[in-house]
Amino acid sequence: LTARTPTLAPARRLHAPCARVSSRRVRHEANCPGRRVRARHVAPRASIAVSIAARARTRARASIVDDSEASDARASDGDPWSVARVVGVPSERVTAVLDQALPVMGGMASQNVLNLADAAMVGRLGTASVAAVGLGSTMNFQCQAALQGVASGVQAMAARRMGEGRYDEVARPLNAALILVCLMGVPLAILAFVYADALVPLYTTDASVVANAVPYLRARVLAVPAVGMNFAFRGFWNAIQQPQVYMNTLIVMHTVNFTLSLILTFVGVPQLGVPPLGALGAGLGTSFSIWCGTAMYMYQGMKRATKLGFLQKRPTMADLRVLATQALPTSVTNLLYASGMMTLYSIVGRLGTTEVAAVNVLINLMLFLILPCMGMGLAAGALSGRALGRGDVEDAKQWPWDVAKITALLMSVVGFGLAMCPRVVLGVFLTDPHAVDIAVTPLRMTGLTVCGDAVSLTMQNALLGVGDAKRVALVSILSQWALFLPSAYLAVAVFDQNLTVVWTLYVAYRFIQGLVYANIWRGGAWAKIKLA
């Protein structure tokens, strides 16, 4: 180098190496670690220049490390209002949780947009129509509940295989789930469609509500098999850390649902001789949008998951058996939960049709709040499942606690806003002033206690995500059917109490349920569950 320096042109003076490396230069070197800082100073003492340049490279690298550490410290400690600092969770774990959970949260929240959109549209048609849509939606959920367990089963099995490195078998549980859904969903949809006019009068005696609820229910059950398949895909996308596929598909579904339901409910299609269909139009639009989502999931699966075994690996009897073992408790839980909601409608029906319309809106708004919490719980289950697959039990145990803290903070902000302006929100769905009046206090109660639901649902879905479905089913069934529903019935039928008392009992039962789930997770017995 010394021999070559006389032939080179004189170079600019090399600056002092310590702190004069610009932030742009540092970032560039950080992004390109193989590059070397070139010493352009060519003086007769070239060997000194080379030495200085070497020291400059060393100090620049040290500056990069120091800047990175300082950046992390600022992210977690410097900003007093950062999520990491407020909840006491390391910033890198907050980032991991939000990357995994935000698309799922948005997707879970947007699921209920289907029901909220129907309620908002039909709300313009009167209180009886609102009550009919609420009743029909809950009965439709009852039909779907038997199929929803496949989501937790697929997620638990696929996430465990991802953690174990069995990549070519990750999608085999999804293949098995699609078979089970078709075998169960199609007969279930046919039965519900045929016997809708006999089922609806079991829960209400109001003729106008029955007249609107029967066609709406028949329209919604047309999509029962599609709902089951969509749940299976949701569990799969969460397990392989691609929840954005789920979110993007739901955005398309909601756009189709809103547009088509609006047209069929209020305008019709005169060119085809289709008049405005009212509640029936809202149901048809929703079902069509769900089938659109199923088609998109199938396309994305063939595009993204073929190497993971989607439609390539034939599920074995062992896969079907393990999936059924995981899905059955959750399906039974969801079925009994939906049946409990139908029983709640029947109990509130003793108070009047106005109360039924009010409780329909309350349930949908409550679901709008807690479904994002379920999404965070699903993310916690996926993170814990992958940690178990790696054999890191301590990391798996910590994820739901971190996720619960973040979820409680985020949902408290939303719930507080809802509690401050309940009449504005209720006015979107209810046109009867009396119905709004009786729903104000329960809605405020829901907003102020949503952080407790956040912890409860995070722990519940984390337990499902690691395969502990049996104990979740036991707690859910006993708390609803042995605690809440008998108390609500006694409050209305014996003590002649109003909707506010019934909703207070509902909030209390959810709080107790959350304490039990948290205690189960703390026990750690879920870490010993084996999934093939």
Side-chain angles (χ1 to χ4, degrees):
L1 180 61
T2 305
R4 293 179 182 177
T5 50
T7 63
L8 299 176
R12 293 185 294 276
R13 181 175 60 88
L14 184 67
H15 291 285
C18 53
R20 294 184 179 268
V21 181
S22 67
S23 60
R24 180 181 302 173
R25 183 79 168 272
V26 171
R27 287 195 300 270
H28 177 69
E29 188 171 350
N31 293 330
C32 306
R35 299 282 302 271
R36 293 291 185 267
V37 179
R38 294 185 179 180
R40 297 197 178 197
H41 178 61
V42 218
R45 301 179 181 181
S47 60
I48 298 176
V50 172
S51 176
I52 293 174
R55 289 198 298 270
R57 290 194 298 269
T58 302
R59 295 182 183 181
R61 293 191 190 102
S63 173
I64 294 169
V65 174
D66 293 341
D67 288 348
S68 176
E69 293 176 352
S71 175
D72 289 343
R74 286 193 298 271
S76 60
D77 299 324
D79 184 1
W81 298 107
S82 68
V83 174
R85 184 175 179 84
V86 172
V87 301
V89 177
S91 58
E92 65 273 10
R93 291 179 77 85
V94 173
T95 302
V97 169
L98 295 181
D99 287 345
Q100 172 76 28
L102 283 180
V104 186
M105 281 184 71
M108 294 295 288
S110 65
Q111 274 188 16
N112 202 49
V113 172
L114 294 172
N115 290 336
L116 286 174
D118 287 352
M121 292 178 189
V122 178
R124 312 278 76 83
L125 303 177
T127 302
S129 295
V130 175
V133 167
L135 188 62
S137 296
T138 307
M139 295 183 71
N140 177 63
F141 175 70
Q142 195 173 18
C143 295
Q144 299 169 1
L147 306 177
Q148 292 179 3
V150 297
S152 58
V154 169
Q155 178 172 316
M157 295 172 67
R160 189 71 63 89
R161 293 180 185 193
M162 284 287 290
E164 294 169 348
R166 298 159 59 188
Y167 300 116
D168 60 333
E169 299 180 5
V170 170
R172 209 159 66 182
L174 174 61
N175 299 337
L178 295 179
I179 294 173
L180 287 178
V181 165
C182 290
L183 291 176
M184 296 172 59
V186 174
L188 189 61
I190 293 173
L191 289 174
F193 186 90
V194 172
Y195 293 104
D197 55 349
L199 294 172
V200 172
L202 296 177
Y203 300 98
T204 181
T205 57
D206 190 312
S208 60
V209 173
V210 172
N212 285 279
V214 169
Y216 178 81
L217 175 61
R218 282 178 169 159
R220 290 296 302 271
V221 298
L222 294 175
V224 165
V227 169
M229 287 186 275
N230 291 356
F231 272 107
F233 276 107
R234 186 194 74 187
F236 176 73
W237 299 127
N238 290 341
I240 67 171
Q241 291 184 289
Q242 293 192 27
Q244 71 278 0
V245 177
Y246 170 61
M247 181 62 186
N248 294 339
T249 303
L250 284 174
I251 291 173
V252 175
M253 287 171 57
H254 297 327
T255 303
V256 172
N257 174 56
F258 180 79
T259 304
L260 189 59
S261 295
L262 186 66
I263 293 172
L264 294 178
T265 301
F266 297 106
V267 181
V269 187
Q271 296 82 355
L272 300 178
V274 179
L277 299 176
L280 172 61
L284 290 173
T286 300
S287 291
F288 182 80
S289 69
I290 293 171
W291 278 109
C292 287
T294 303
M296 291 184 64
Y297 282 138
M298 293 293 293
Y299 171 76
Q300 290 292 337
M302 290 184 287
K303 181 179 179 182
R304 296 170 178 261
T306 302
K307 294 182 179 180
L308 299 177
F310 177 65
L311 300 182
Q312 305 296 316
K313 293 285 186 177
R314 181 178 299 176
T316 64
M317 290 303 299
D319 292 325
L320 292 170
R321 183 176 63 254
V322 173
L323 180 62
T325 302
Q326 289 295 311
L328 183 61
T330 306
S331 296
V332 172
T333 301
N334 290 337
L335 180 60
L336 290 176
Y337 177 79
S339 300
M341 289 294 100
M342 293 306 305
T343 305
L344 177 61
Y345 271 104
S346 180
I347 292 171
V348 174
R350 291 172 170 268
L351 301 174
T353 300
T354 302
E355 283 76 6
V356 173
V359 82
N360 168 52
V361 174
L362 287 171
I363 289 174
N364 280 307
L365 289 173
M366 176 204 65
L367 291 174
F368 182 74
L369 290 175
I370 69 173
L371 283 176
C373 304
M374 292 178 63
M376 292 292 276
L378 291 171
L383 292 167
S384 295
R386 286 194 290 270
L388 283 178
R390 297 191 304 269
D392 192 346
V393 177
E394 288 302 316
D395 188 48
K397 191 172 185 177
Q398 185 59 35
W399 276 118
W401 296 112
D402 293 342
V403 172
K405 295 175 185 178
I406 299 169
T407 309
L409 174 65
L410 297 177
M411 298 312 299
S412 293
V413 175
V414 179
F416 182 77
L418 192 64
M420 291 299 99
C421 51
R423 291 186 179 274
V424 175
V425 177
L426 291 169
V428 176
F429 307 98
L430 296 169
T431 56
D432 186 348
H434 179 55
V436 173
D437 290 338
I438 62 179
V440 165
T441 301
L443 184 56
R444 279 186 175 143
M445 202 181 307
T446 300
L448 294 175
T449 59
V450 70
C451 59
D453 258 334
V455 177
S456 173
L457 289 163
T458 299
M459 294 300 172
Q460 177 186 3
N461 285 278
L463 287 167
L464 293 174
V466 297
D468 199 355
K470 292 181 180 178
R471 287 197 292 179
V472 170
L474 182 64
V475 173
S476 178
I477 292 168
L478 289 179
S479 59
Q480 184 183 33
W481 285 92
L483 181 63
F484 167 60
L485 290 175
S487 302
Y489 177 80
L490 291 174
V492 173
V494 178
F495 297 103
D496 197 25
Q497 296 298 313
N498 58 17
L499 181 60
T500 300
V501 173
V502 174
W503 205 254
T504 302
L505 293 171
Y506 177 82
V507 170
Y509 121 80
R510 298 286 297 180
F511 177 76
I512 295 171
Q513 193 180 71
L515 292 178
V516 176
Y517 286 139
N519 187 61
I520 292 174
W521 186 265
R522 186 180 289 109
W526 44 266
K528 301 176 183 178
I529 297 174
K530 302 297 182 182
L531 297 176

